[in-house]
Amino acid sequence: MNKILSCVFLLAFSRLAAATETPVLTWCLDHFSRFHAYENTRAPYGPSVDLMQELAKRAGFQLKFSPRTPSARCFRQMETGEADLMSNLNFTEERAEYMYLMPYNERIPESLYLQANDPRQIRSFNQLESLALATVRNYTYHPSLMQLIKTSKRHVEIDSIEIGFEMLQRGRVDALVVPTQSSLDVIADHPALHYQFKRAPVDFSVVEKRFINIALSKKSPHLALKSRIERAVESMVQDGTVKKLYAFAPLKHGPTYLADSPAAQIKHP
């Protein structure tokens, strides 16, 4: 009889322990300069990491970093439920089919680049009509911005930001419309592109406000945490945590290697 009671007690205890065990959610990520560094390091670090760790603390789960994983593979893992979380994502209807997308910070608007010696001052949207513009294929531009771009005299899609800068450098297009952060990284990583371009003063942020999102896979085994994660994200927005962690401007954070930057003026008096 005692053996039977012991077995019942152990079974109940194990079930209780399993129920109270902290869930572990996998965050799929790649290196993303200025947001999270995952280059030559065993663990990522940066504002995005601090934010996701705070999210885990508030929502009551343990955060697990994936190995450094290309974004395309992360999306596939989110579709299957192999990964639970992603961050810094633009909203698209396609992504919303297999992820819950939770907005948490206003996105950095795209930039329009010209050759360094181009005398044009592109300040208004109607000036885009006279330009041959290049955009990056498969990048999620806001539909309103894409409508403006398509009013240009010629619009071409290119496979990468690097190819776009090469085309601009050779004069095959007049201007390049690309995400600000990633384009600055491409310029920084390629010395041949240093001080060859400048940003036009046109402000794409007024087209329509857009937000970046934290995503939870719809096939995650931890969907019971969805409400807690949503509340935690909202609380970090409301109390200023997100604003504090993401309080940096890419154009002021480190050298930009643009022709109209202070470093360029020193380099070319």
Side-chain angles (χ1 to χ4, degrees):
M1 185 67 179
N2 287 338
K3 289 183 178 180
I4 294 175
L5 289 174
S6 297
C7 290
V8 171
F9 175 78
L10 288 172
L11 180 61
F13 181 80
S14 63
R15 287 179 176 175
L16 179 63
T20 58
E21 189 175 306
T22 302
V24 179
L25 276 67
T26 299
W27 174 29
C28 195
L29 71 161
D30 195 4
H31 175 76
F32 190 13
S33 177
R34 294 174 172 85
F35 285 91
H36 46 257
Y38 211 168
E39 252 179 348
N40 303 319
T41 56
R42 293 200 301 183
Y45 62 90
S48 297
V49 176
D50 295 339
L51 180 118
M52 294 298 285
Q53 288 176 329
E54 179 64 19
L55 173 64
K57 178 181 176 182
R58 295 191 188 195
F61 65 86
Q62 182 180 338
L63 185 66
K64 177 182 177 182
F65 304 129
S66 73
R68 183 177 172 183
T69 308
S71 296
R73 190 181 304 163
C74 281
F75 286 127
R76 291 196 295 271
Q77 291 182 6
M78 292 289 281
E79 284 190 84
T80 62
E82 183 180 349
D84 303 294
L85 299 165
M86 288 182 71
S87 67
N88 298 296
L89 295 183
N90 293 326
F91 177 92
T92 69
E93 294 293 345
E94 180 186 359
R95 293 172 184 176
E97 290 181 2
Y98 59 92
M99 295 185 283
Y100 294 107
L101 292 155
M102 309 168 199
Y104 67 101
N105 196 43
E106 198 170 308
R107 63 178 286 184
I108 301 168
E110 291 81 2
S111 292
L112 185 144
Y113 290 95
L114 303 168
Q115 287 189 15
N117 58 359
D118 193 321
R120 288 172 288 198
Q121 289 291 313
I122 309 299
R123 297 182 181 276
S124 63
F125 297 146
N126 59 13
Q127 290 176 280
L128 300 179
E129 297 177 5
S130 63
L131 302 176
L133 294 177
T135 59
V136 180
R137 186 178 291 109
N138 296 326
Y139 172 72
T140 308
Y141 292 89
H142 191 279
S144 298
L145 176 56
M146 187 54 72
Q147 287 179 2
L148 286 170
I149 291 170
K150 287 184 177 180
T151 65
S152 64
K153 69 178 183 182
R154 183 165 63 93
H155 169 227
V156 297
E157 288 188 319
I158 39 88
D159 290 330
S160 69
I161 296 173
E162 184 179 353
I163 291 173
F165 278 124
E166 291 174 355
M167 290 180 65
L168 181 56
Q169 197 170 28
R170 296 173 183 173
R172 294 175 59 188
V173 293
D174 298 320
L176 177 66
V177 183
V178 282
T180 299
Q181 182 60 68
S182 300
S183 59
L184 291 175
D185 292 340
V186 168
I187 293 173
D189 291 341
H190 296 81
L193 302 180
H194 290 186
Y195 309 111
Q196 301 301 305
F197 311 101
K198 62 182 180 182
R199 290 179 71 252
V202 63
D203 182 7
F204 289 133
S205 68
V206 299
V207 175
E208 188 173 331
K209 298 296 184 186
R210 294 192 76 194
F211 295 84
I212 53 175
N213 296 264
I214 290 170
L216 173 66
S217 169
K218 289 184 177 181
K219 289 192 176 180
S220 168
H222 304 291
L223 286 182
L225 294 175
K226 177 176 176 286
S227 296
R228 278 160 55 181
I229 293 172
E230 289 175 329
R231 289 195 298 269
V233 170
E234 181 62 23
S235 71
M236 289 192 292
V237 172
Q238 293 297 326
D239 68 16
T241 299
V242 173
K243 186 175 181 180
K244 180 181 178 181
L245 290 174
Y246 277 54
F248 66 93
L251 293 164
K252 298 177 182 178
H253 186 87
T256 62
Y257 301 103
L258 296 175
D260 51 354
S261 67
Q265 295 168 13
I266 294 171
K267 187 177 181 70
H268 305 290

